[in-house]
Amino acid sequence: MEAMLFAAGRPLSVEEISGISGLDARDVLDAAESLLREYASRGGGIEVRAVEGSFVMQVRGDLAQAVSMVAPRELDSSVIRTLAVIAYRQPITQSELARIRGNKCYEHVRILERMGLISAIKKGRTRELWTTRGFAEYFGLQSENPEFLKETIARKREMIGITPMYESLARRLGIDYVVVNPYRPEDSDIAMLRKIRLLVASPGYAERIREHYSGEIIEVGTSTFSKLKEGVERLALQLKDVSGAEALIGEIDAALREYRAMARGLGLVKPLTPIAGEIALDMHLDLGDNGVTAAADYTGAEADIIIPTHQESHIDIIERIKQRYDAMLEGLRQRRR
């Protein structure tokens, strides 16, 4: 058992030890207790501990920080980012983690569980994730208290701010983010704007935002699929580990091809507002003064086609654009009947 714990470099469950050694569970527990007592009596730099129902051989807790500089870091950057999200947002469900980090997080969770850095508790159809004492010891932190860990991570991480309308985009891209209102900020928003290094916002609001924020702004247009694609590509270039960018760009391209095919031959459009013109051009519709009039809903203009733009922020960003394109197509079809 001592050799197994040394070779594993991570916590081993009673079941794992039993399966390898051939001992029954009672004998494994007896052997573990014996090892715990023996290593405790030595007073050396290595200890054997019980962690979340498993057993691990590790550097003694009070020495972990002193030797952290020479300790290996087996985790790659993408797994570390997933671990940081868990630590900062704990307790976090695995389903919520997947919305933030993408489906690759399930493999990351398996790796982190095997290393004893996180624990998982069944919660309905998903699991709730927490960091363990092993997490604090692995990174040489003074406490395993979740609030202490959150404060430590908040001080060190590069915070990315998004407005509520972009929350579904951030989740699709796998970006770890904080929601902030830079347009009409309250005191809590102003405090957050001082901490973030980059803000994702709507085009045309930079001057208003600059009254309270001096960091970098990336404007992402959402009026059309083409503008959204441009914004996603800029974010992917600017940020590290934007895991969902490729899949999202593929979804945008597929949707745009579908809408252009549906728009073929539906006739002329006369845009009365810029967003109506952008959508018509994105679908390769012909423009003309004799066309069907189209306008955005926020203007109150009388038009044959009203494009919805005042949509709820909880609606997925792709679905919001589809609603606008569907309104354009449906209006043109009705005029042809």
Side-chain angles (χ1 to χ4, degrees), residues 129-332:
L129 306 176
W130 297 78
T131 56
T132 64
R133 174 172 179 155
F135 171 88
E137 293 177 348
Y138 185 88
F139 290 101
L141 301 175
Q142 296 175 349
S143 172
E144 62 188 284
N145 180 279
E147 294 308 314
F148 170 81
L149 298 180
K150 291 177 185 181
E151 291 175 7
T152 301
I153 293 170
R155 288 196 298 270
K156 294 183 178 180
R157 74 174 185 163
E158 294 182 330
M159 300 180 71
I160 298 169
I162 61 157
T163 62
M165 277 292 182
Y166 290 95
E167 189 163 9
S168 65
L169 174 62
R171 286 175 171 173
R172 278 175 167 270
L173 294 177
I175 297 171
D176 189 20
Y177 62 89
V178 292
V179 179
V180 64
N181 180 359
Y183 312 123
R184 295 178 180 175
E186 297 181 357
D187 290 344
S188 58
D189 296 307
I190 293 174
M192 187 61 68
L193 287 168
R194 295 191 184 111
K195 297 178 182 179
I196 62 178
R197 74 168 183 90
L198 184 147
L199 177 67
V200 180
S202 300
Y205 290 91
E207 186 175 347
R208 182 189 299 182
I209 292 171
R210 287 299 180 204
E211 295 177 15
H212 305 283
Y213 175 68
S214 59
E216 184 173 359
I217 300 173
I218 291 186
E219 296 182 334
V220 177
T222 60
S223 58
T224 67
F225 282 122
S226 292
K227 287 196 171 183
L228 177 61
K229 180 180 176 180
E230 291 174 5
V232 170
E233 289 173 339
R234 284 199 300 274
L235 282 169
L237 287 173
Q238 179 68 27
L239 305 176
K240 298 177 182 178
D241 193 27
V242 183
S243 57
E246 184 176 351
L248 182 55
I249 289 172
E251 185 177 347
I252 292 170
D253 286 340
L256 194 51
R257 287 194 298 269
E258 181 181 355
Y259 277 99
R260 285 173 177 171
M262 290 189 291
R264 196 172 297 125
L266 286 183
L268 293 175
V269 175
K270 181 181 179 180
L272 302 183
T273 57
I275 191 171
E278 292 168 1
I279 291 171
L281 290 172
D282 210 32
M283 286 198 285
H284 291 173
L285 288 163
D286 294 324
L287 307 184
D289 289 336
N290 296 324
V292 179
T293 57
D297 56 2
Y298 65 86
T299 64
E302 293 186 7
D304 300 311
I305 300 172
I306 300 298
I307 305 297
T309 58
H310 284 171
Q311 296 150 301
E312 297 292 332
S313 61
H314 66 81
I315 301 174
D316 178 77
I317 196 164
I318 294 291
E319 293 305 314
R320 292 204 294 269
I321 298 176
K322 284 184 176 181
Q323 288 178 5
R324 298 166 189 171
Y325 283 46
D326 288 339
M328 180 73 81
L329 293 178
E330 182 59 27
L332 289 171

